[in-house]
Amino acid sequence: MISRALQAEILRLHHSEGWPIGTIARQLRVHHDTVRRVLAQAGVPAPKTLRSSMVEPYRAFIAETLAKYPTLRASRLYAMVRSRGYPGAPDHFRAIVAGLRPRAPAEAYLRLRTLPGEQAQVDWAHFGRLAIGRAVRPLMAFVMVLSYSRQLFLRFYLGASMGYFLRGHVEAFASFNSVPRVLLYDNLKSAVLERVADAIRFHPRLLELAAHYRFQPRPVAIARGNEKGRVERAIRFAREAFFAGRSFRDLDDLNAQALAWCEGEAAQRPCPEDRSRSVRKVFEQERPYLLALPENPFPCEECTEVSVRKSPYARFDWNDYSIPHQHVSRTLLVLATLDTVRILDGTKLIATHPRSYDRSAQIELPGHVEALVAHKRAARMHRAQDRLHHATPSAQTLFLRAAERGAHLGVLTRGLLQLLDSHGAQALETAIAAALAEDAAHLGAVRHFIDTHAHAAGLRPPIAVSLPKDARLERLSVRAQPLSDYDRLTPQRHEHDDNDNTPPAQP
């Protein structure tokens, strides 16, 4: 709005001085539309000073097309008029289309009222992210508000999966100590899997929950967010009055503070339907009209099938949980709560772990690892003994007698394998037979007889050479050196008398 004095000055300059609109606007530092408005209010006809626009020949075509297709994009309209000879630029054309596009009439909404105990509204809300170890998880708030009293339930979870969705319902009903008759949802996937007009396919787990607590799930109409305005306002209230500027140690601390806030400050606020009473007072009036809780809460564990390969670990929620090694290469069932992960093979419980919300962590039970290590050792010993039995038939009798005398079978196995590799199967079989004939069922006797037989046969003792596993050593060629130099040194040592302590002359 401009002052009356400025309006009078505009009229004076126009009538008395004959100034055009542009001059008046520049000199008085006002917009030219303001000058035109003042002159129009005074009954002065607007001068024909505007140039004809290049879009004028196409205005009727644009208006007719928009009347038939109201949501047609300006870029498509521009291509259509461009093919018909329009020479203008697309930026100015968008402004023209915006002025000609028909506007939808404003829609009025009725204020929705509900009976006590009749309805509650449910929704998820995103509150940022929370870092736990190497994992960064979404911080989601499950919100349920009773439509009549506005009693609020707020609970935070590290995600919005179906398990968390069901658990939010169970904990909300426990907080209210009752159940509303109808629960109103947005068309989120946790509630509505598919919808075509009025044909709705609910999530089967939600239907199981509804049957257990005897409430009716009901989605809002498409594009009718006003039908769940109570939970939307409750989420905004929680953001501003609870979460903004709040500090917490971990998720448990945050949920403890949220519960205290719902029972305290949120319950003490005035009820929007009756501001003379608090939400707590109206909720006490509403409680008798709510449904009673069933005897047992709904089982809302997360249930997932996992495929376990050769490693004895089941992957669940970014982490690996150990299992007994006998259950590898199978499909197992994981049942997870907020605190515990249970792993089942069919109906048999094989492992129970505390739940981790980290990423790429290995959660192990010491018994699982120790059993696997013992199994690997036993397997190695079994393979070694099987090799000895095939190479030397007398080895089985040797093991039986050694076991009767309490000998360490692992040491005996390793020693016999070394002798098998160094002397061969025939020599080892002969030595074992000789040891058994002398009733000496131990490794020392076998080594004694194998050395005795080798010496009697004039064989040199084998020299064990262990080279590193390097491919370059396999292609290495070593030239044999003559030993004549050492032979020439031998006579020089005997030229001196044995009793002569004089050292030989230095070269």
Side-chain angles (χ1 to χ4, degrees):
M1 297 296 293
I2 61 175
S3 64
R4 291 185 178 273
L6 185 56
Q7 295 180 22
E9 183 65 13
I10 292 173
L11 293 174
R12 186 188 72 79
L13 293 175
H14 176 74
H15 290 291
S16 301
E17 305 297 338
W19 286 10
I21 293 176
T23 303
I24 297 174
R26 284 193 302 273
Q27 297 301 321
L28 297 182
R29 298 181 182 277
V30 295
H31 198 272
H32 54 82
D33 287 343
T34 303
V35 178
R36 288 194 181 93
R37 188 181 71 251
V38 172
L39 295 178
Q41 291 174 352
V44 178
K48 302 294 184 180
T49 58
L50 295 176
R51 295 182 300 172
S52 61
S53 173
M54 64 179 68
V55 81
E56 287 300 327
Y58 308 94
R59 190 179 294 272
F61 170 76
I62 296 172
E64 180 182 353
T65 305
L66 287 175
K68 190 175 182 180
Y69 307 103
T71 61
L72 189 65
R73 296 174 65 91
S75 58
R76 182 64 194 133
L77 265 174
Y78 177 75
M80 294 171 67
V81 299
R82 185 76 174 175
S83 65
R84 289 167 171 78
Y86 176 67
D91 295 339
H92 179 61
F93 183 78
R94 293 178 186 277
I96 296 171
V97 172
L100 295 177
R101 191 182 297 276
R103 305 296 180 188
E107 183 178 359
Y109 296 98
L110 292 173
R111 176 171 290 182
L112 302 178
R113 298 183 182 275
T114 59
L115 297 175
E118 182 67 21
Q119 184 193 94
Q121 298 183 5
V122 180
D123 205 357
W124 283 111
H126 188 267
F127 278 74
R129 295 183 177 275
L130 193 63
I132 301 177
R134 290 165 290 185
V136 179
R137 296 180 178 269
L139 183 61
M140 303 297 296
F142 178 88
V143 182
M144 181 184 293
V145 59
L146 297 178
S147 298
Y148 181 78
S149 64
R150 304 302 204 278
Q151 182 70 19
L152 178 63
F153 174 80
L154 174 65
R155 176 80 178 187
F156 291 90
Y157 298 97
L158 297 176
S161 64
M162 193 64 196
Y164 292 138
F165 190 61
L166 299 176
R167 182 170 295 277
H169 285 77
V170 174
E171 294 183 348
F173 297 152
S175 175
F176 298 151
N177 198 25
S178 52
V179 181
R181 300 174 186 275
V182 177
L183 260 64
L184 198 64
Y185 303 95
D186 200 352
N187 292 279
L188 66 166
K189 288 298 182 182
S190 299
V192 179
L193 294 180
E194 187 178 5
R195 179 170 187 168
V196 179
D198 293 334
I200 300 170
R201 184 163 67 92
F202 288 99
H203 197 291
R205 290 285 284 166
L206 179 63
L207 294 180
E208 294 176 11
L209 179 75
H212 186 82
Y213 286 99
R214 302 179 297 279
F215 68 85
Q216 177 189 0
R218 183 184 299 171
V220 300
I222 298 177
R224 286 294 182 268
N226 65 297
E227 295 184 7
K228 53 186 280 289
R230 290 174 173 85
V231 70
E232 297 290 350
R233 286 190 293 272
I235 291 173
R236 184 176 61 195
F237 176 56
R239 289 187 190 278
E240 298 173 354
F242 171 75
F243 193 77
R246 185 171 294 273
S247 60
F248 51 92
R249 297 186 305 274
D250 50 23
L251 187 65
D252 292 336
D253 181 39
L254 178 62
N255 282 323
Q257 295 184 44
L259 179 61
W261 178 77
C262 290
E263 296 176 351
E265 179 182 346
Q268 285 298 115
R269 74 189 191 278
C271 180
E273 297 294 335
D274 184 1
R275 302 194 67 84
S276 64
R277 296 187 297 167
S278 67
V279 169
R280 178 179 286 109
K281 293 294 185 182
V282 180
F283 175 61
E284 292 175 358
Q285 175 191 350
E286 183 183 22
R287 191 190 298 274
Y289 299 96
L290 295 166
L291 299 176
L293 289 174
E295 295 182 359
N296 300 313
F298 182 77
C300 50
E301 291 179 312
E302 295 181 65
C303 182
T304 306
E305 288 188 347
V306 295
S307 296
V308 179
R309 298 185 182 274
K310 294 183 178 180
S311 299
Y313 294 94
R315 170 63 62 90
F316 171 72
D317 194 21
W318 301 350
N319 296 300
D320 293 328
Y321 296 87
S322 68
I323 62 171
H325 63 274
Q326 299 91 340
H327 300 273
V328 297
S329 301
R330 299 183 187 180
T331 299
L332 305 179
L333 186 66
V334 174
L335 299 178
T337 65
L338 295 178
D339 306 315
T340 306
V341 173
R342 296 188 300 151
I343 305 175
L344 288 80
D345 189 353
T347 59
K348 180 182 179 181
L349 178 65
I350 61 175
T352 302
H353 295 274
R355 183 166 182 174
S356 172
Y357 293 95
D358 202 345
R359 189 185 187 99
S360 301
Q362 283 190 353
I363 299 90
E364 299 176 340
L365 292 179
H368 293 166
V369 180
E370 294 171 0
L372 178 59
V373 172
H375 173 72
K376 289 294 183 181
R377 289 176 179 170
R380 286 195 297 269
M381 182 177 294
H382 175 75
R383 288 193 296 269
Q385 291 179 357
D386 187 65
R387 181 187 172 194
L388 289 171
H389 293 165
H390 283 84
T392 57
S394 300
Q396 184 173 4
T397 305
L398 179 66
F399 276 106
L400 291 176
R401 295 187 182 180
E404 292 174 356
R405 299 181 180 184
H408 195 297
L409 298 183
V411 173
L412 178 60
T413 303
R414 288 193 296 271
L416 293 179
L417 285 175
Q418 292 174 358
L419 295 175
L420 177 63
D421 294 334
S422 60
H423 292 80
Q426 183 61 41
L428 181 59
E429 170 65 18
T430 304
I432 293 177
L436 291 175
E438 296 292 335
D439 196 20
H442 54 84
L443 182 61
V446 177
R447 285 175 175 169
H448 167 73
F449 283 110
I450 202 168
D451 291 340
T452 301
H453 294 161
H455 180 72
L459 300 176
R460 294 181 179 180
I463 300 175
V465 179
S466 178
L467 296 177
K469 294 182 179 180
D470 192 338
R472 295 174 297 179
L473 297 177
E474 299 176 358
R475 301 188 297 269
L476 184 64
S477 177
V478 180
R479 186 179 61 181
Q481 298 294 330
L483 302 178
S484 57
D485 295 338
Y486 296 97
D487 295 336
R488 287 196 299 269
L489 295 175
T490 303
Q492 296 178 6
R493 184 168 58 87
H494 293 285
E495 290 177 355
H496 303 281
D497 187 11
D498 292 340
N499 297 324
D500 188 5
N501 295 328
T502 305
Q506 296 294 329

